[in-house]
């Protein structure tokens, strides 16, 4: 058994706070699969809250801790916490059909966090104008769709058009609603960074 | 639901690092090959992995039901063509074989999930990934496991409170933003209390981990992982 013989090296205070927030937000992301989704009127698809947490992680935790939070979510799922869609778990999901979407989450959070840090001195997403916020979120959604559909097409040997039909088109209405919800959350300004 | 279950199977006695290595090797080679002959070999390996973890095929398939729907739809969609001959059998078969290997990858990883408790996975992460990133990832995963039930309860409370106040009659955007905002606010409150508690308890970069050691049965498993990973290139 390997035991660490060095003296205790405390974690700095400015790491503990964002780390705790990243870990708890990863747990929130995980919890969204257990708590039913919201049905959309006149549509067979209902919206899960998962991707909303991806956007919020980027907006309120910044590029590094936001991406770290989603990596924690992916790692917890890979080692057996049933947190992927429909309570699936396992390393296989991270190379399976939906792997492109899952791996795009930390990238999307990194992208959103980078824009917030670039446009705001204090790192507060409420400083962003509404058009800037909407464009940022739509760009992140595009990254999620592109990586998701590209991997879906590769791993299931589908053509580009068919991968888009199966993996993007059905989700567009729900994802636009989620972006509207995130804009409303940021503009309400009740979450402190 | 697919999750860890205490048992005395061979897979339960293996070192988590050896099991992780086998999954990575298997995924690498399965992603590289889709010939029927390779798929038969992979099926046999999957059956062995499932047997060593005493995994029930039916229950595992139920827990991967969403993936199964996509995996079943993909070959049908791949075969459909606009115009004669209306259905392209070759494209459908190619996609079907590709879908099947994804199912095998999922089943092999399910064997790990059933046979490995989270404290073993955490120790494997912290011993394999060097330095501070490994420490943060290991502690973080343990915290996600610990906080999942708490935040699940929070979200449920929020939804019930909204329903009690006729929140279900409001627009979808309104409902989604309320749940999202309250969920994150509560999560951050919990996180700030957690960070205070961590500091009070001397949260350190070098805590003592549970013991992990390779035993004799782990070496052949690790060898298998290497063979599988190398076979991805042939």
């Amino acid at each position: 058994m390997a035991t660490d013989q060095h003296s205790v090296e405390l974690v700095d205070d400015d790491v503990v706070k964002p780390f705790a927030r990243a870990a708890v937000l990863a747990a929130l992301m995980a919890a969204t699969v257990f708590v039913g989704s919201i049905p959309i009127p006149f549509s067979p698809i209902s919206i899960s809250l998962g991707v909303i947490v991806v956007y919020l992680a980027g907006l309120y935790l910044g590029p590094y801790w936001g991406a770290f939070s989603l990596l924690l979510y992916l790692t917890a799922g890979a080692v057996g916490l049933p947190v992927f869609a429909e309570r699936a778990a396992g390393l296989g999901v991270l190379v399976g059909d939906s792997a492109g979407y899952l791996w795009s989450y930390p990238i999307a959070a990194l992208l959103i966090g980078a824009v917030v840090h670039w446009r705001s001195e204090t790192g507060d997403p409420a400083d962003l104008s509404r058009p800037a916020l909407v464009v940022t979120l739509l760009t992140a959604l595009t990254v999620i769709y592109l990586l998701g559909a590209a991997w879906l097409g590769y791993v299931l040997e589908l053509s580009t058009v068919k991968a888009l039909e199966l993996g993007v088109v059905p989700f567009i209405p729900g994802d636009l609603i989620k972006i509207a919800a995130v804009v409303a959350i940021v503009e309400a300004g009740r979450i402190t960074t | 639901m697919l999750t860890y279950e205490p048992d005395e199977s061979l897979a339960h006695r293996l070192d988590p690092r050896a099991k992780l290595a086998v999954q990575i090797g298997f995924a690498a080679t399965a992603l590289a090959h889709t010939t029927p002959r390779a798929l038969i070999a992979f099926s046999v390996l999957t059956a062995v992995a499932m047997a060593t973890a005493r995994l029930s095929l039916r229950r595992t398939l139920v827990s991967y039901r969403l993936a199964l729907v996509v995996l079943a739809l993909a070959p049908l969609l791949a075969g459909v063509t606009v115009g004669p001959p209306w259905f392209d059998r070759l494209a459908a078969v190619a996609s079907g074989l590709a879908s099947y290997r994804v199912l095998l990858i999922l089943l092999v990883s399910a064997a790990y999930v059933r046979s490995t408790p989270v404290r073993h996975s955490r120790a494997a992460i912290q011993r394999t990934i060097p330095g501070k990133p490994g420490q943060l990832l290991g502690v973080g995963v343990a915290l996600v496991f610990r906080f999942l039930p708490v935040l699940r309860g929070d979200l449920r409370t929020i939804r019930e409170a909204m329903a009690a106040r006729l929140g279900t009659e409001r627009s979808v955007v309104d409902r989604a933003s309320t749940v999202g905002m309250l969920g994150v606010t509560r999560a951050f409150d919990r996180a700030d209390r957690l960070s205070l508690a961590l500091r009070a308890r001397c949260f350190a970069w070098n805590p003592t981990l549970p013991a992990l050691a390779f035993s004799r049965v782990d070496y052949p498993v690790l060898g298998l992982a290497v063979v599988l990973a190398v076979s991805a290139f042939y």
Side-chain angles (χ1 to χ4, degrees):
Chain A
M1 176 186 163
T3 307
D4 212 325
Q5 301 285 343
H6 301 285
S7 63
V8 171
E9 187 194 346
L10 291 181
V11 179
D12 292 334
D13 285 0
D14 57 348
V15 173
V16 177
K17 187 181 169 185
F19 166 70
R21 286 187 159 203
V24 175
L25 208 65
L28 180 69
M29 175 84 189
T32 57
V33 297
F34 289 90
V35 180
S37 41
I38 300 171
I40 304 177
F42 312 112
S43 163
I45 296 164
S46 58
I47 65 169
S48 78
L49 297 162
V51 182
I52 292 186
V53 181
V54 173
Y55 299 139
L56 294 177
L59 289 168
Y60 289 99
L61 293 177
Y64 308 118
W65 290 107
F68 175 76
S69 176
L70 290 156
L71 279 179
L72 274 183
Y73 162 75
L74 297 182
T75 313
V79 299
L81 195 64
V83 296
F84 298 133
E86 294 290 329
R87 303 181 194 183
L91 195 63
V93 181
L94 291 184
V95 289
D97 54 299
S98 58
Y101 301 99
L102 293 170
W103 285 107
S104 72
Y105 290 165
I107 298 171
L110 182 81
L111 184 89
I112 295 171
V115 172
V116 172
H117 274 215
W118 169 46
R119 299 302 291 250
S120 160
E121 293 259 318
T122 53
D124 184 358
D127 291 350
L128 263 69
S129 65
R130 183 185 274 189
L133 183 62
V134 171
V135 169
T136 308
L137 295 177
L138 284 175
T139 313
L141 179 63
T142 312
V143 169
I144 294 174
Y145 278 160
L146 284 181
L147 288 175
W151 182 258
L152 187 71
Y154 165 72
V155 81
L156 299 183
E157 304 207 355
L158 296 170
S159 66
T160 312
V161 176
K162 287 183 174 158
L164 292 174
E165 281 172 12
L166 184 64
V168 172
V169 177
F171 304 104
I172 291 176
D175 279 316
L176 293 180
I177 289 174
K178 289 177 211 175
I179 287 185
V182 171
V183 171
I185 292 174
V186 171
E187 292 185 348
R190 279 178 51 190
I191 301 175
T192 50
T193 47
Chain B
M1 191 167 66
L2 180 64
T3 183
Y4 169 69
E5 287 168 36
D7 201 344
E8 293 288 307
S9 78
L10 175 64
H12 282 76
R13 291 197 301 266
L14 289 172
D15 188 285
R17 290 166 293 184
K19 286 185 277 188
L20 282 170
V22 165
Q23 290 182 80
I24 293 167
F26 185 81
T29 188
L31 286 177
H33 303 102
T34 47
T35 58
R37 236 172 65 199
L39 288 177
I40 292 171
F42 295 153
S43 305
V44 174
L45 263 176
T46 307
V48 172
M50 291 179 70
T52 52
R54 292 193 200 140
L55 191 67
S56 140
L57 179 65
R58 196 184 57 80
R59 282 180 54 196
T60 315
L61 289 178
V62 169
S63 66
Y64 285 131
R65 58 194 174 278
L66 187 70
L68 284 182
V69 172
V70 176
L71 297 181
L73 272 180
L76 292 177
L77 191 66
V80 175
T81 53
V82 193
W86 302 108
F87 197 80
D88 180 353
R89 259 184 54 200
L90 277 178
V93 169
S95 177
L97 293 173
S99 298
Y100 179 64
R101 76 181 163 174
V102 174
L103 175 66
L104 296 180
I105 294 174
L106 289 174
L107 291 177
V108 169
S109 70
Y112 176 90
V113 171
R114 183 175 186 274
S115 65
T116 317
V118 59
R119 61 181 190 282
H120 283 183
S121 297
R122 177 192 165 179
I125 291 168
Q126 276 174 256
R127 289 191 195 286
T128 311
I129 303 172
K132 292 177 177 178
Q135 295 291 341
L136 286 184
L137 209 56
V139 180
V141 165
L143 286 175
V144 174
F145 271 76
R146 173 65 190 84
F147 272 87
L148 173 64
V150 181
L151 292 176
R152 218 175 126 180
D154 276 357
L155 279 182
R156 200 182 297 120
T157 310
I158 294 168
R159 297 285 303 267
E160 282 170 6
M162 283 172 71
R165 291 166 180 79
L166 287 181
T168 42
E169 303 294 311
R170 292 161 77 177
S171 76
V172 186
V173 174
D174 212 17
R175 289 167 64 191
S177 65
T178 309
V179 178
M181 181 161 58
L182 293 176
V184 171
T185 315
R186 280 190 176 213
F188 279 180
D189 284 348
R190 288 192 184 281
D192 294 346
R193 282 196 304 250
L194 168 69
S195 65
L196 186 67
L198 283 172
R199 273 176 283 177
R201 286 163 183 75
C202 301
F203 180 38
W205 287 115
N206 45 1
T208 307
L209 288 173
L212 279 190
F214 275 128
S215 61
R216 254 181 309 166
V217 281
D218 286 306
Y219 291 103
V221 176
L222 202 60
L224 173 70
V226 173
V227 170
L228 284 173
V230 171
S231 74
F233 300 103
Y234 295 97

